[in-house]
Amino acid sequence: MRVSIASVSLMAVGAQAAKLSPTVQGMFDGHMGNMDQIFDSTAGYLYNFYYPLAAGPHETRSTVWYAAGLLQRNKGNDVKNAVRIINSVIDGQFKNKEDQWYGDYQKYPEEPTVGTAAYEPSIYDTWDPNWRGFIGSALMIIYEEFGHLIGKNVQHTIAESLYNNSIGDSYRVGGVDNDNLYPAYSNPSLMRAVVSGWAGRKFNDKNMTAAGEMYAQEIISLFNINDTLSEFNVPTYYGVSLSALTLWAKYMPASSVMAKNGPRMIEDIWTAFGDFYNARLQNLAGPWDRTYGWDMNKYVAIMSLYIWSIAGRDHVFSSSEKPWLLAHADDGEFVPIVSILSSFHNTLVPASVVARLKSFGRSERIVHRHAYSPPFDHQVRNITSWLSEKITIGGDSYNQTVVGGASKDSNSFSPAIAHWYRDATKLQNSSVGYFSLHPSEKSLKASVGPHWLNLTYPAGNASSVFTFAVSSNPLGGTRDVTGLASINGVSISIGEGSNVDPTPKVSFCGLMGGDCSPIHNFEFWNLTFTMPAKTTALPQLNLRFDIKA
Ligand SMILES: *[C@@H]1O[C@H](CO)[C@@H](O)[C@H](O)[C@H]1NC(C)=O
Ligand SMILES: *[C@@H]1O[C@H](CO)[C@@H](O)[C@H](O)[C@H]1NC(C)=O
Ligand SMILES: *[C@@H]1O[C@H](CO)[C@@H](O)[C@H](O)[C@H]1NC(C)=O
Ligand SMILES: *[C@@H]1O[C@H](CO)[C@@H](O)[C@H](O)[C@H]1NC(C)=O
Ligand SMILES: *[C@@H]1O[C@H](CO)[C@@H](O)[C@H](O)[C@H]1NC(C)=O
Ligand SMILES: *[C@@H]1O[C@H](CO)[C@@H](O)[C@H](O)[C@H]1NC(C)=O
Ligand SMILES: *[C@@H]1O[C@H](CO)[C@@H](O)[C@H](O)[C@H]1NC(C)=O
Ligand SMILES: *[C@@H]1O[C@H](CO)[C@@H](O)[C@H](O)[C@H]1NC(C)=O
Ligand SMILES: *[C@@H]1O[C@H](CO)[C@@H](O)[C@H](O)[C@H]1NC(C)=O
């Protein structure tokens, strides 16, 4: 390493672990207990906990989150284990400057060498460029919060690791070498900016510092269009973005655009979140730019962990007390990061939003926002949602370069969705139903108002389809869905002005079979509306939703 670390940067930080509220402490202890059970103390890594479970291998990213948790807990061998993890992970960091994956970290320690004949470098598969950001920001938290526990040598190793990380991350240019890191890819770009800004300052590297400020400014300019992240209304990745913005606000010097804008951006994200959140349904109303499920009661969305930390356990995952009953349960491994940052971050959540996390209140509302994700959006997206206590409907008007939006993924882009409250049956507690458009076109106009979801494809034709992913009815309800009339808890009718064939094709995308596959482990009914042959009018489908009395 040529450069030497600036001496000012090694000041001792507070000698205490972050102070956790009793609520956060409860969440932290529970999840650390889960992770203790998958920690392999011989290897010094957590086992891989993705679904489907891998037979044996470990995993790097969650292990670093766990290391932060170990330092926070600081009991028995915790510090020793954490230091061992930090050294192993940085030892496995890619060290050849010529490689596109330079400065990134192994996905798991037993993986074959990336770039060998048997293990081609395949971005997001054999190596994941976003892990520079994920692991880099966790290491930064460790350096900043727990320097007194790990000592100067380990701190120095971390700083050097982040310096290399930042150089490797500077190779990322959206649209080049199969990379997609545009400023609009909010969560990794927020992490990249802070890792560069931090490492540049630590090593007095003015170019690296300036690069971090420049990345940050690009994100801020997009944000300022309507005080929203480009990666808008995302139950999982909002949580990652909020943690990155907390690093902007907490660890950058006052002169940085990150320190100047981080707190306001955190507040604005929460303000939007509060506007779109329905505490009765315990779901963020759609539309969502990216999602890993259609009902936040049934999978671990990182925002649910934030809600837990702010409003308490009673306000999330109503349908399950047990994490292993939820899809995407591995995202619970992010809890140490949410917890350690909570005492700083949670003070930035406006009180009016905290109230909305706890209770819907009585009055319904309509919410409008805009978001913009160049180069995938030809125009700013216009988002409208109507929220009432027992039904929410949201829609996104967009014109994009690819089907599936910025992540090019029809399974996670959810541009029009309704949710409703379902009463308990004899066999199942009250629950939430959903009706979600599965995107098949590059442009959509969605018009949303009380009870209505009106959709048209401005570039559609007689071949266009409207496919909806629809929840199965609760246990004790109608088992076989044959059309709109057999969806329980809600009455859905096709309104005037629609020109689709009113009888949808119905298929089941089931865990054990059917005509199509589950998405993100959610099985669903597929209701597909087609156009009468030879229609020349633009496809239009106007749907009205009412709670069934
Ligand atoms: C940083 O990268 C250089 C090679 O570019 C390598 O020699 C050094 O060991 C790396 N530092 C760490 C902490 O991995
Ligand atoms: C300055 O930083 C940018 C972005 O990180 C990088 O592309 C460029 O090569 C750096 N230039 C020098 C002279 O280090
Ligand atoms: C955001 O959009 C709303 C609705 O169109 C508008 O009222 C508001 O002024 C916009 N805010 C900004 C910061 O552009
Ligand atoms: C159903 O509700 C009851 C009463 O609130 C609760 O004790 C039970 O845990 C719930 N069951 C499930 C599966 O969530
Ligand atoms: C969003 O609204 C703006 C202003 O009304 C309009 O210019 C733009 O075309 C709309 N975007 C889409 C994708 O419909
Ligand atoms: C949707 O279409 C229905 C039926 O034509 C109409 O009554 C309603 O006003 C429309 N709502 C919105 C928000 O566009
Ligand atoms: C979408 O944007 C492109 C590029 O500006 C334009 O050519 C096209 O007509 C737009 N599509 C719609 C449906 O507005
Ligand atoms: C509708 O548009 C698609 C894509 O532009 C085209 O492939 C298809 O042939 C068109 N169908 C009709 C019936 O015009
Ligand atoms: C939904 O069903 C249609 C057939 O009606 C099929 O073409 C389409 O692939 C299915 N979509 C999904 C997401 O399963």
Side-chain angles (χ1 to χ4, degrees):
M1 188 94 205
R2 312 162 269 116
V3 279
S4 66
I5 193 158
S7 55
V8 287
S9 58
L10 288 175
M11 291 186 314
V13 268
Q16 297 297 317
K19 182 120 184 62
L20 307 188
S21 72
T23 299
V24 176
Q25 189 72 51
M27 176 175 84
F28 175 81
D29 290 344
H31 283 80
M32 284 300 288
N34 293 344
M35 285 191 272
D36 288 340
Q37 294 179 56
I38 57 168
F39 180 59
D40 174 355
S41 60
T42 308
Y45 277 84
L46 292 189
Y47 284 108
N48 180 311
F49 184 56
Y50 286 138
Y51 288 109
L53 291 179
H58 301 87
E59 205 228 30
T60 307
R61 183 178 63 173
S62 53
T63 301
V64 178
W65 293 336
Y66 179 62
L70 290 172
L71 293 165
Q72 170 67 30
R73 186 169 65 186
N74 188 12
K75 300 240 165 74
N77 287 329
D78 285 349
V79 171
K80 214 171 123 217
N81 284 333
V83 166
R84 187 172 165 219
I85 290 167
I86 295 162
N87 285 325
S88 313
V89 168
I90 295 177
D91 213 40
Q93 186 178 15
F94 301 124
K95 308 225 186 288
N96 181 3
K97 271 191 168 164
E98 312 302 312
D99 293 335
Q100 194 187 344
W101 53 99
Y102 173 61
D104 204 353
Y105 304 86
Q106 296 170 325
K107 293 179 89 171
Y108 61 109
E110 46 272 270
E111 71 187 20
T113 302
V114 176
T116 51
Y119 211 57
E120 298 276 334
S122 171
I123 191 167
Y124 290 112
D125 294 325
T126 55
W127 68 284
D128 186 331
N130 293 348
W131 284 32
R132 292 198 192 94
F134 277 114
I135 293 176
S137 44
L139 289 173
M140 192 191 304
I141 292 169
I142 289 173
Y143 181 108
E144 292 281 353
E145 304 288 336
F146 305 111
H148 57 291
L149 294 177
I150 60 178
K152 285 193 178 181
N153 288 345
V154 179
Q155 270 190 311
H156 191 276
T157 305
I158 289 176
E160 203 177 294
S161 169
L162 295 197
Y163 186 85
N164 290 354
N165 174 325
S166 173
I167 292 173
D169 225 35
S170 77
Y171 303 169
R172 299 193 70 181
V173 178
V176 176
D177 295 334
N178 290 323
D179 205 306
N180 63 339
L181 188 57
Y182 299 94
Y185 190 6
S186 305
N187 82 84
S189 52
L190 289 162
M191 294 190 288
R192 164 225 279 247
V194 75
V195 170
S196 282
W198 188 92
R201 286 174 177 85
K202 281 282 174 271
F203 290 96
N204 219 349
D205 181 324
K206 295 207 163 55
N207 185 44
M208 189 179 280
T209 303
E213 294 291 302
M214 182 191 79
Y215 302 144
Q217 189 53 58
E218 288 173 344
I219 303 164
I220 294 165
S221 299
L222 282 171
F223 187 88
N224 289 346
I225 293 172
N226 200 244
D227 298 332
T228 57
L229 284 180
S230 299
E231 196 174 30
F232 181 69
N233 225 33
V234 279
T236 293
Y237 290 105
Y238 257 179
V240 177
S241 291
L242 283 169
S243 72
L245 284 166
T246 306
L247 307 196
W248 283 32
K250 190 164 192 222
Y251 305 139
M252 287 292 105
S255 57
S256 166
V257 291
M258 292 184 252
K260 288 196 185 97
N261 291 277
R264 147 181 97 90
M265 291 165 77
I266 291 172
E267 285 181 39
D268 287 345
I269 291 168
W270 275 108
T271 300
F273 189 89
D275 286 351
F276 284 84
Y277 189 69
N278 184 322
R280 179 69 190 270
L281 302 181
Q282 296 189 175
N283 267 283
L284 182 65
W288 304 306
D289 279 2
R290 282 179 86 188
T291 188
Y292 289 142
W294 292 298
D295 174 7
M296 286 167 68
N297 294 296
K298 300 260 190 269
Y299 75 102
V300 177
I302 293 179
M303 286 310 284
S304 298
L305 304 174
Y306 274 87
I307 297 170
W308 181 342
S309 83
I310 295 162
R313 175 65 183 86
D314 291 347
H315 296 281
V316 287
F317 309 133
S318 70
S319 56
S320 178
E321 283 296 316
K322 321 250 173 15
W324 52 89
L325 296 181
L326 297 167
H328 247 266
D330 49 286
D331 277 345
E333 297 174 328
F334 197 65
V335 158
I337 302 299
V338 175
S339 303
I340 293 164
L341 298 177
S342 63
S343 58
F344 183 92
H345 166 273
N346 292 5
T347 61
L348 296 169
V349 184
S352 56
V353 175
V354 175
R356 282 196 167 161
L357 300 180
K358 293 181 174 168
S359 138
F360 183 77
R362 293 247 165 264
S363 53
E364 54 179 76
R365 60 182 182 269
I366 290 195
V367 187
H368 298 286
R369 284 288 196 291
H370 307 284
Y372 186 45
S373 295
F376 297 101
D377 279 327
H378 289 303
Q379 284 134 32
V380 169
R381 278 172 282 135
N382 300 316
I383 293 128
T384 304
S385 297
W386 170 68
L387 289 89
S388 68
E389 192 186 2
K390 289 189 172 180
I391 312 185
T392 65
I393 301 174
D396 186 347
S397 294
Y398 59 84
N399 177 13
Q400 297 174 327
T401 57
V402 286
V403 175
S407 56
K408 303 179 189 171
D409 181 5
S410 297
N411 287 345
S412 61
F413 182 47
S414 197
I417 181 166
H419 285 103
W420 61 94
Y421 176 85
R422 304 190 300 199
D423 283 323
T425 67
K426 277 193 180 135
L427 298 172
Q428 187 174 318
N429 288 354
S430 64
S431 58
V432 170
Y434 51 83
F435 190 97
S436 178
L437 181 70
H438 191 265
S440 53
E441 304 248 343
K442 292 180 192 169
S443 54
L444 173 73
K445 291 269 185 221
S447 174
V448 168
H451 299 281
W452 286 98
L453 176 62
N454 297 0
L455 302 173
T456 184
Y457 293 131
N461 63 23
S463 311
S464 298
V465 297
F466 294 92
T467 291
F468 296 93
V470 183
S471 44
S472 292
N473 290 317
L475 191 58
T478 312
R479 268 166 46 209
D480 298 308
V481 170
T482 54
L484 293 176
S486 38
I487 300 173
N488 290 175
V490 70
S491 126
I492 307 176
S493 54
I494 298 181
E496 236 173 83
S498 306
N499 56 13
V500 299
D501 176 343
T503 308
K505 293 199 170 68
V506 179
S507 48
F508 185 61
C509 308
L511 289 171
M512 304 296 159
D515 287 333
C516 36
S517 305
I519 294 178
H520 299 130
N521 294 11
F522 281 64
E523 52 176 14
F524 62 96
W525 291 92
N526 170 338
L527 269 61
T528 294
F529 293 89
T530 56
M531 299 297 294
K534 302 208 177 93
T535 307
T536 52
L538 289 183
Q540 176 85 37
L541 175 55
N542 302 337
L543 292 165
R544 184 180 166 104
F545 295 78
D546 290 278
I547 287 289
K548 235 179 234 168

